[in-house]
C-alpha cells in the first residue's frame, strides 16, 4: 500500500518527538486518523480518544507540561471539531507550550461552496496559531509545512496549526522533494536550545545582585530543571524565594526560606518577602499580579528568561538575561562571591513561614459544614509519593492547592495557568497518566469543573486504566454545590450578594457515578473520616473518585486585603448574604492572623535597625 499524506504527516511529526495524538474522529480528519491507527499497529504512535475536542487541546498541552513529549499534538475534525478545540489550544498559547493542531477541512473540490462544516480555519486560527497556520492543498507541501509548524511551535513555544482538506489527507504522499524551480527543501532537525548570556551581561547582573542585603527571588515554570542551580544562587545571596503558580514543584515547599505561592492565591510570607526586599531576581516567570511585586522604586531587579520579549514585562528591571535558566544561574553563581546578605533576612522569612503555617492549621481546623476544604487538601501532602503527578482545575480548588498542598522536586504539578480555564483538570490528569503510565496521579477538581469536562473524561479513564502500569489515579472532587470562586469575586470585587440561580451547582453523586463506570468511589462528608478515606483512595489499585462535600462559605482571603476589597465584601454582607455569619467570623480570624504576622515582621525589622545602628525600620 502506498504512503498517504496522512501517513507522511504522522511519521514526520514523529521525527520531531510527537508520537501521542489526542483527538476525536470525524470524516473531515478521517485520513489522518486512519494513518495514526496504522502507525499505532506498528508501535510508532498512540491515539488517545477523548470525549470532546476541547479536552484534546488541554491534553496535548498537559502532555508537554508533564514531560511526556517535547511537542503536543491534537487531531480534530473540520468545522465544529476545530471550533471546540480552540479553548484547549489557547491554554497552550498563553502558557507558552509547544502544540501542533492538525485540523480536518472540507475537500478542496468543495471549498468555497458553503459546503457542510466548511469554515475558514486559517482565519479562525490566525490568533491562537498566529505564528504559523497553513492550509495544505498539495501533497508536495506537506513535508515543509510539518517542519515549519513543529519548528515554530518549539522555538516560539506556542501553538501552530496545519489545515488538511480531506481529499489531500488520502492522496499519495510526496516524500522526496525534487530539484527544480518552485520546490524548497527542509530539515526536521530541531534548533539548538537557548544557551548562556554574554559574560559582560552576567557581570552586570552579578554586581546588581551582590548589592542587595535583602534579596527576593520569584521563580516560575521557566525555572523547571534548575532546582540545584536556583538553590545554590539563593544560598549565595541569602535570598528568600517565592514561586509562581506553575513553578510550585521547583523548590520544596517545606524549606524555611521558600515562601510558596505568590499573588491573589498566594501566601502572606510571599507578600512580605516582596514588600521587604531591596533586590529582586525573576527567573522564568511573568506572574501578572503587579500589586504583589515590590513597590516601584523599592527594589532593583534582574530577570532571566528564554524569551527576551518577556523581560521587563511586569517590573522595571535593570538587567535582562536571555538564556536557559539552569545554565544562566550556573554561570552567575561564581560571580556572586562576596555578596553580604543581611544575616537576619532569612530568619525573618522563616518566622513569617512559621506564623503562616500555624495560621494555616488553624484555618484547616475551623468549623465548617460539613467539611473544611483546607483540611482535606492539607491531609493529602504526606500521602503523595515522590514521583506523584498532580493536575489541578481552576476555581477555589486552585487556592487550596497553592496554599495548602506541600510539593517537592521530583513531583510534577500543572494547570491552566494563564488562561485559567475551568474544565482543564481532568484532561490534564489524563494526559499526565498517558505520558507516565507508571506514575501515580492526583486530579484536584471543583464540582463546577467536574460537571464541565470531568464527568465525561472519567469515561476515558474507565476505558484506559487497565493499560496503565500503575493504576493509581485519585480524583478529588471538592463538592461545594457552588461556583464559589465567582461568588467570592461577586462579594469582594462587586460588593454584591452572589446570585443563587447563577452560582448554584447541582449536587451529583460523583462517587456513585464512578462506581457505575467500574471505578472506585467514596463520599466524604465528615472530618472524622478524612484520614481513612484518603488512605483507602491513595492505596487503591484502580482509579478512585473522592466526593468531598465541603463548605462553600470557607473564605478565600487573599494574602493582602485591600481597603476596596473590605468595603465591597462588607457591602455584600449588608445586602443580606446568607453566608454573612461565617464570613465575618473568618474575617476576624484573618485580622488577628495578619496582626500577628505584622508584629513578627516589625520585630524582625527592629532587630535589623538595632544591628546597623540606625534604629529605623527597613524595606
Amino acid at each position: 500500500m502506498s504512503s498517504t499524506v496522512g501517513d507522511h504527516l504522522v511519521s514526520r511529526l514523529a521525527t520531531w518527538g510527537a508520537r501521542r495524538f489526542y483527538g476525536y474522529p470525524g470524516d473531515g480528519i478521517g485520513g489522518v486518523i486512519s494513518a495514526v491507527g496504522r502507525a499505532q499497529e506498528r508501535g510508532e504512535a498512540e491515539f488517545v480518544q477523548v470525549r470532546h475536542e476541547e479536552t484534546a487541546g488541554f491534553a496535548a498541552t498537559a502532555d508537554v507540561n508533564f514531560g511526556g513529549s517535547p511537542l503536543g499534538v491534537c487531531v480534530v475534525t473540520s468545522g465544529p471539531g476545530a471550533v471546540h478545540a480552540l479553548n484547549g489550544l489557547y491554554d497552550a498559547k498563553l502558557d507558552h507550550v509547544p502544540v501542533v493542531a492538525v485540523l480536518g477541512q472540507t475537500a478542496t473540490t468543495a471549498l468555497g461552496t458553503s459546503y457542510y462544516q466548511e469554515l475558514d480555519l486559517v482565519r479562525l486560527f490566525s490568533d491562537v496559531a498566529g505564528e504559523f497556520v497553513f492550509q495544505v492543498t498539495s501533497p508536495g507541501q506537506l513535508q515543509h509545512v510539518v517542519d515549519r509548524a513543529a519548528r515554530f511551535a518549539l522555538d516560539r513555544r506556542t501553538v501552530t496549526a496545519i489545515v488538511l482538506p480531506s481529499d489531500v489527507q488520502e492522496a499519495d504522499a510526496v516524500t522526496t522533494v525534487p530539484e527544480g524551480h518552485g520546490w524548497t527543501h527542509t530539515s526536521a532537525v530541531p534548533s539548538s536550545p537557548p544557551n548562556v548570556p554574554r559574560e559582560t551581561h552576567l557581570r552586570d547582573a552579578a554586581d546588581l545582585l551582590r548589592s542587595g542585603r535583602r534579596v527576593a527571588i520569584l521563580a516560575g515554570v521557566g525555572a523547571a530543571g534548575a532546582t540545584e542551580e536556583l538553590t545554590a544562587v539563593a544560598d549565595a545571596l541569602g535570598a528568600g524565594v517565592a514561586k509562581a503558580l506553575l513553578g510550585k514543584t521547583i523548590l520544596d515547599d517545606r524549606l524555611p526560606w521558600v515562601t510558596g505561592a505568590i499573588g491573589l492565591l498566594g501566601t502572606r510570607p510571599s507578600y512580605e518577602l516582596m514588600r521587604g526586599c531591596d533586590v529582586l531576581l525573576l527567573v522564568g516567570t511573568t506572574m501578572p499580579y503587579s500589586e504583589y511585586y515590590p513597590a516601584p522604586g523599592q527594589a532593583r531587579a534582574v530577570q532571566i528568561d528564554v524569551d527576551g520579549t518577556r523581560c521587563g514585562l511586569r517590573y522595571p528591571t535593570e538587567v535582562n538575561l536571555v538564556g536557559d535558566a539552569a545554565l544562566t544561574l550556573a554561570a552567575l553563581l561564581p560571580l556572586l562571591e562576596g555578596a553580604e546578605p543581611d544575616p537576619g533576612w532569612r530568619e525573618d522569612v522563616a518566622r513569617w513561614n512559621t506564623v503562616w503555617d500555624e495560621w494555616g492549621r488553624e484555618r484547616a481546623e475551623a468549623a465548617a459544614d460539613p467539611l473544611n476544604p483546607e483540611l482535606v487538601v492539607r491531609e493529602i501532602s504526606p500521602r503523595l509519593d515522590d514521583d506523584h503527578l498532580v493536575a489541578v482545575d481552576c476555581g477555589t480548588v486552585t487556592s487550596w492547592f497553592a496554599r495548602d498542598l506541600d510539593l517537592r522536586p521530583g513531583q510534577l504539578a500543572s494547570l491552566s495557568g494563564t488562561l485559567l480555564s475551568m474544565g482543564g483538570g481532568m484532561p490534564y490528569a489524563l494526559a499526565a497518566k498517558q505520558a507516565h503510565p507508571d506514575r501515580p496521579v492526583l486530579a484536584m477538581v471543583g464540582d463546577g469543573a467536574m460537571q464541565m469536562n470531568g464527568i465525561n473524561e472519567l469515561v476515558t479513564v474507565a476505558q484506559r486504566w487497565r493499560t496503565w502500569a500503575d493504576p493509581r489515579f485519585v480524583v478529588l472532587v471538592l463538592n461545594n454545590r457552588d461556583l464559589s470562586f465567582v461568588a467570592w469575586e461577586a462579594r469582594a470585587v462587586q460588593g454584591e450578594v452572589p446570585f443563587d440561580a447563577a452560582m448554584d451547582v447541582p449536587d451529583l453523586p460523583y462517587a456513585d457515578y464512578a462506581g457505575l463506570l467500574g471505578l472506585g468511589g467514596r463520599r466524604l462528608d465528615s472530618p472524622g473520616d478524612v484520614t481513612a478515606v484518603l488512605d483507602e483512595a491513595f492505596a487503591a489499585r484502580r482509579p478512585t473518585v473522592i466526593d468531598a462535600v465541603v463548605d462553600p462559605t470557607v473564605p478565600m482571603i487573599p494574602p493582602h486585603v485591600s481597603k476596596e476589597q473590605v468595603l465591597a465584601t462588607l457591602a455584600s454582607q449588608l445586602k443580606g448574604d446568607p453566608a454573612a455569619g461565617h464570613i465575618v467570623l473568618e474575617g476576624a480570624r484573618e485580622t488577628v492572623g495578619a496582626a500577628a504576622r505584622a508584629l513578627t515582621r516589625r520585630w524582625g525589622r527592629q532587630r535589623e535597625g538595632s544591628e546597623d545602628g540606625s534604629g529605623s525600620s527597613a524595606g
Side-chain angles (χ1 to χ4, degrees):
M1 181 179 177
S2 62
S3 176
T4 68
V5 166
D7 293 314
H8 190 30
L9 170 89
V10 173
S11 64
R12 196 71 176 183
L13 283 171
T15 65
W16 289 93
R19 295 175 178 267
R20 199 171 295 108
F21 296 78
Y22 295 91
Y24 202 83
D27 60 351
I29 197 66
V32 173
I33 297 294
S34 296
V36 175
R38 290 189 288 271
Q40 183 165 296
E41 290 176 358
R42 298 191 299 269
E44 298 171 359
E46 180 184 12
F47 182 71
V48 183
Q49 184 204 81
V50 293
R51 311 272 65 77
H52 192 278
E53 291 90 352
E54 180 184 24
T55 291
F58 278 129
T61 306
D63 196 293
V64 178
N65 286 343
F66 284 103
S69 306
L71 181 66
V73 181
C74 77
V75 181
V76 297
T77 192
S78 54
V83 174
H84 285 163
L86 280 170
N87 192 55
L89 294 173
Y90 268 108
D91 181 40
K93 176 183 172 69
L94 269 60
D95 280 348
H96 309 290
V97 179
V99 171
V100 174
V102 180
L103 313 172
Q105 178 60 292
T106 300
T108 56
T109 53
L111 285 173
T113 67
S114 299
Y115 203 72
Y116 287 114
Q117 297 189 339
E118 181 189 354
L119 298 177
D120 187 344
L121 296 183
V122 172
R123 178 178 293 183
L124 181 64
F125 278 72
S126 62
D127 181 47
V128 72
E131 293 285 355
F132 186 85
V133 53
F134 192 86
Q135 182 164 291
V136 177
T137 56
S138 169
Q141 297 172 305
L142 190 280
Q143 183 164 290
H144 207 301
V145 169
V146 171
D147 289 348
R148 293 288 282 170
R151 192 179 306 280
F152 268 94
L154 289 166
D155 287 4
R156 305 287 172 84
R157 300 200 62 80
T158 191
V159 175
T160 58
I162 301 171
V163 182
L164 278 173
S166 56
D167 54 337
V168 176
Q169 297 171 38
E170 298 177 3
D172 290 342
V174 176
T175 58
T176 303
V177 177
E179 294 185 16
H181 185 71
W183 291 89
T184 59
H185 300 275
T186 180
S187 166
V189 177
S191 305
S192 63
N195 205 326
V196 182
R198 292 180 179 178
E199 180 76 12
T200 181
H201 297 147
L202 289 169
R203 291 193 177 279
D204 288 344
D207 289 345
L208 193 157
L209 292 170
R210 286 200 312 272
S211 73
R213 296 273 290 162
R214 302 178 304 280
V215 178
I217 298 176
L218 174 56
V221 69
T227 297
E228 182 178 342
E229 294 82 1
L230 185 62
T231 300
V233 167
D235 286 341
L237 296 171
V241 183
K243 298 182 291 185
L245 195 59
L246 291 176
K248 187 169 172 63
T249 58
I250 292 168
L251 293 172
D252 195 324
D253 279 318
R254 300 166 299 178
L255 292 170
W257 44 271
V258 173
T259 59
I262 194 171
L264 184 65
L265 307 182
T267 70
R268 184 74 187 195
S270 290
Y271 179 80
E272 300 293 355
L273 180 74
M274 292 295 139
R275 289 292 158 168
C277 71
D278 58 6
V279 163
L280 173 65
L281 173 60
L282 301 165
V283 184
T285 181
T286 55
M287 193 278 296
Y289 293 120
S290 59
E291 66 269 33
Y292 290 94
Y293 285 90
Q298 169 198 320
R300 305 179 68 194
V302 174
Q303 186 163 357
I304 300 171
D305 205 290
V306 295
D307 184 349
T309 66
R310 297 203 288 267
C311 291
L313 182 63
R314 306 299 187 200
Y315 195 78
T317 50
E318 294 183 36
V319 182
N320 295 311
L321 301 177
V322 179
D324 174 82
L327 296 176
T328 302
L329 289 168
L332 265 179
L333 184 60
L335 304 178
L336 298 177
E337 186 176 349
E340 298 181 356
D342 173 8
W345 176 236
R346 277 194 166 181
E347 294 176 8
D348 288 345
V349 175
R351 266 192 299 275
W352 298 336
N353 281 336
T354 298
V355 173
W356 174 261
D357 187 59
E358 290 173 353
W359 187 61
R361 285 196 295 271
E362 292 176 12
R363 290 196 317 267
E365 293 167 2
D369 182 20
L371 266 179
N372 190 317
E374 294 196 83
L375 173 66
V376 178
V377 174
R378 285 178 72 92
E379 286 294 326
I380 288 174
S381 298
R383 291 170 170 81
L384 296 178
D385 289 357
D386 290 340
D387 62 344
H388 235 103
L389 307 174
V390 181
V392 186
D393 219 296
C394 293
T396 53
V397 66
T398 320
S399 180
W400 313 138
F401 159 75
R403 294 183 176 191
D404 295 306
L405 194 68
D406 286 338
L407 296 179
R408 53 193 182 272
Q411 299 168 340
L412 291 175
S414 196
L415 73 157
S416 177
T418 307
L419 186 62
L420 293 172
S421 174
M422 289 177 64
M426 279 296 290
Y428 266 55
L430 175 65
K433 197 65 174 182
Q434 289 302 129
H436 302 285
D438 58 340
R439 296 177 66 169
V441 169
L442 165 67
M444 297 176 61
V445 186
D447 53 349
M450 192 65 181
Q451 292 183 24
M452 278 189 175
N453 292 344
I455 286 289
N456 294 332
E457 293 313 323
L458 270 184
V459 176
T460 311
V461 171
Q463 177 192 39
R464 304 191 70 94
W465 75 270
R466 289 179 177 82
T467 67
W468 298 335
D470 184 336
R472 290 178 296 167
F473 187 101
V474 174
V475 181
L476 173 66
V477 182
L478 294 181
N479 177 8
N480 58 19
R481 291 83 57 211
D482 185 65
L483 295 177
S484 51
F485 195 102
V486 185
W488 280 107
E489 287 178 323
R491 294 182 181 108
V493 178
Q494 300 168 306
E496 295 291 339
V497 177
F499 178 32
D500 288 348
M503 304 299 179
D504 288 354
V505 174
D507 186 9
L508 298 183
Y510 302 101
D512 292 345
Y513 176 72
L516 292 175
L517 298 175
L519 308 176
R522 285 291 305 272
R523 187 170 175 91
L524 175 60
D525 56 10
S526 170
D529 294 336
V530 170
T531 298
V533 170
L534 291 180
D535 284 344
E536 177 185 329
F538 278 88
R541 302 303 298 177
R542 61 174 173 169
T544 300
V545 173
I546 302 173
D547 180 2
V549 185
V550 297
D551 192 334
T553 66
V554 174
M556 291 193 316
I557 300 173
H560 169 68
V561 182
S562 70
K563 177 180 68 176
E564 291 77 13
Q565 289 169 327
V566 172
L567 292 175
T569 305
L570 199 56
S572 75
Q573 308 315 296
L574 295 174
K575 292 177 182 179
D577 190 339
H582 199 155
I583 291 169
V584 170
L585 174 62
E586 288 301 310
R589 291 167 57 83
E590 164 63 11
T591 301
V592 172
R597 290 189 295 278
L599 287 173
T600 301
R601 181 174 72 256
R602 183 177 178 186
W603 183 90
R605 293 178 180 178
Q606 287 176 336
R607 172 200 44 72
E608 177 184 331
S610 64
E611 286 179 355
D612 65 16
S614 68
S616 62
S617 63

